[in-house]
Amino acid sequence: EAILRNDVTEGQLIAYMNQVRQAIPPGIPVTTADAWGTFLAHPNLIAASDVVFVNLYPYWEGTSIDNAICSLQQEYQQVINVAGARQVVISETGWPSAGNAQGAAVPSVANANLFALQFLTWAATNNIPAFYFEAFDETWTVASEGPQGANWGIWDTLGVLKPGMDAFFNGQTAPVTGDGLIPGPTSVTFTYVPPYGSSDALEARVTGIQPASYALAAYI
């Protein structure tokens, strides 16, 4: 997330990527990992990547656990739409088991369990390549993230599995729900308007409502 953190400029990062590409055998893919919104705002990063590594964190966006995976799916699809033929890998996602609430996103063992089970079910069902953040709790991130930074692991710092975090690996699955309140002001924003003559779908992002209570129809 070098661009998200403002560690380097877009041009500097692409130059580093090209430097690496020239120093390794041909055919080895080169990429950078960053948040989904960063890639949408910096299409040159996608063009410079052989494969797109996107980080998706509904928790940091303040999304309720009730709508977290639905939101993640929408964000992932937006990156897919601009990635062209490039493979899109979810390089990071997760939910903390303790810490401070971020808007409507509440860290807890139960919410971490639900997020992991729904995400892993969705990714496996749709053959989506993904990494889960993270294996073990680590305390050093508290300085930059707050108390939740120490609670992203499937296991704690002693290697003890957190209760319920192995549900998916024990054969359980969970359907993705999208009934929670989508954070933000009540609005409908078109995120992709197809060019004239295209058969692409019109895409919109709706905030400030509970999806189970509404249906969205577009009239042209």
Side-chain angles (χ1 to χ4, degrees):
E1 297 180 345
I3 297 298
L4 181 66
R5 294 193 305 265
N6 294 314
D7 293 338
V8 292
T9 66
E10 177 189 277
Q12 288 172 325
L13 179 56
I14 292 174
Y16 284 135
M17 293 168 68
N18 288 331
Q19 181 180 351
V20 170
R21 188 175 281 113
Q22 293 167 6
I24 61 178
I28 298 177
V30 175
T31 188
T32 183
D34 219 308
W36 70 280
T38 300
F39 281 111
L40 296 185
H42 296 269
N44 290 336
L45 282 184
I46 295 177
S49 300
D50 299 315
V51 58
V52 181
F53 268 33
V54 60
N55 298 344
L56 297 164
Y57 283 106
Y59 165 78
W60 285 121
E61 296 171 1
T63 305
S64 165
I65 189 64
D66 296 328
N67 203 55
I69 301 300
C70 285
S71 177
L72 182 148
Q73 289 175 333
Q74 294 170 10
E75 294 162 358
Y76 177 74
Q77 187 60 49
Q78 289 186 58
V79 178
I80 288 286
N81 291 344
V82 297
R86 292 171 178 81
Q87 182 186 40
V88 178
V89 176
I90 297 178
S91 43
E92 286 187 24
T93 193
W95 196 277
S97 57
N100 298 330
Q102 187 81 11
V106 179
S108 70
V109 172
N111 286 349
N113 286 342
L114 180 58
F115 183 86
L117 185 57
Q118 287 188 340
F119 173 77
L120 294 171
T121 300
W122 170 72
T125 301
N126 294 280
N127 297 314
I128 294 172
F131 296 90
Y132 197 85
F133 189 88
E134 61 187 329
F136 301 96
D137 284 345
E138 47 188 350
T139 58
W140 68 272
T141 52
V142 170
S144 59
E145 293 186 1
Q148 53 272 17
N151 295 283
W152 291 93
I154 296 174
W155 290 268
D156 65 18
T157 55
L158 300 176
V160 177
L161 183 72
K162 295 179 183 177
M165 289 299 289
D166 58 345
F168 175 78
F169 304 102
N170 287 332
Q172 296 184 45
T173 58
V176 174
T177 59
D179 297 339
L181 180 69
I182 301 176
T186 302
S187 68
V188 178
T189 304
F190 292 113
T191 56
Y192 176 65
V193 178
Y196 182 78
S198 169
S199 60
D200 293 348
L202 174 69
E203 297 178 10
R205 182 173 180 82
V206 183
T207 58
I209 61 98
Q210 203 154 356
S213 302
Y214 292 88
L216 178 65
Y219 292 90
I220 300 177

